[in-house]
Amino acid sequence: MGGRQVGVLFVCTGNICRSPTAEGIFRKLVADAGMSETIFADSAGTHGYHIGEPPDPRAQASAAARGYDLGALRARRVEVADFERFDLVVAMDRGHFTILSRLAEDSAAHKVKLMMSYARAFKERDVPDPYYGGRQDFERVLDMLEDAARGLLDAIGGPAQG
């Protein structure tokens, strides 16, 4: 994707579980690869249910146990301008993909991708929403997102360890 900065936006429903977790994982992979100057990440929700709120405490706790700090992140809603700011707009599931594809101008539709399309070990197409589940659901989401985030970094051109 060239010599300039590459922006990646992760999107789920409310921006308090899946997308901030993906952002935290991806940012750490990028930092560990020494690529923080060339790749930046953010997250947003398709709906404004939790604007300004931190990630779900269960998502934060599960992520922290694996070395990802989500504490400074705050929920926001995806905006049309995001399709200009970011090179990739990465949906957590097919429902988000559909919403984002409708929101994108024709010239930006190619930027919308499905997170699990970058996964190697998992064959699922959607990252399930852990919000109404238990700790094991948040752990499974972390497993899936770690796998897909490594594949995404590789696709952009970085050495994803794992």
Side-chain angles (χ1 to χ4, degrees):
M1 292 195 176
R4 60 179 186 75
Q5 272 201 315
V6 175
V8 180
L9 180 67
F10 298 97
V11 181
C12 68
T13 305
N15 192 211
I16 61 167
C17 292
R18 292 171 286 179
S19 59
T21 301
E23 177 187 352
I25 291 168
F26 190 70
R27 280 186 177 192
K28 185 171 188 317
L29 289 175
V30 166
D32 290 351
M35 300 181 73
S36 296
E37 297 297 315
T38 56
I39 300 172
F40 66 97
D42 194 6
S43 61
T46 55
H47 295 73
Y49 304 137
H50 303 283
I51 292 174
E53 293 178 22
D56 184 287
R58 298 165 298 170
Q60 288 193 59
S62 293
R66 297 195 194 187
Y68 308 113
D69 182 7
L70 310 182
L73 304 180
R74 294 295 176 265
R76 71 176 186 86
R77 188 171 184 178
V78 70
E79 306 168 346
V80 172
D82 287 327
F83 293 96
E84 292 175 28
R85 282 195 291 264
F86 295 94
D87 299 284
L88 295 172
V89 179
V90 184
M92 294 297 115
D93 66 31
R94 287 170 282 183
H96 304 131
F97 184 92
T98 299
I99 291 168
L100 292 168
S101 295
R102 285 187 195 134
L103 192 58
E105 302 285 326
D106 287 343
S107 62
H110 67 282
K111 295 181 177 187
V112 181
K113 306 292 183 190
L114 203 52
M115 182 66 172
M116 293 308 292
S117 70
Y118 297 101
R120 297 178 182 136
F122 290 88
K123 300 302 176 209
E124 291 91 337
R125 293 183 63 200
D126 297 329
V127 179
D129 189 350
Y131 187 78
Y132 294 104
R135 190 172 65 81
Q136 72 281 359
D137 298 294
F138 285 87
E139 293 298 324
R140 176 148 177 83
V141 164
L142 270 165
D143 291 340
M144 295 174 81
L145 291 175
E146 284 176 335
D147 179 36
R150 287 185 197 105
L152 173 57
L153 185 55
D154 277 351
I156 292 172
Q161 308 303 315

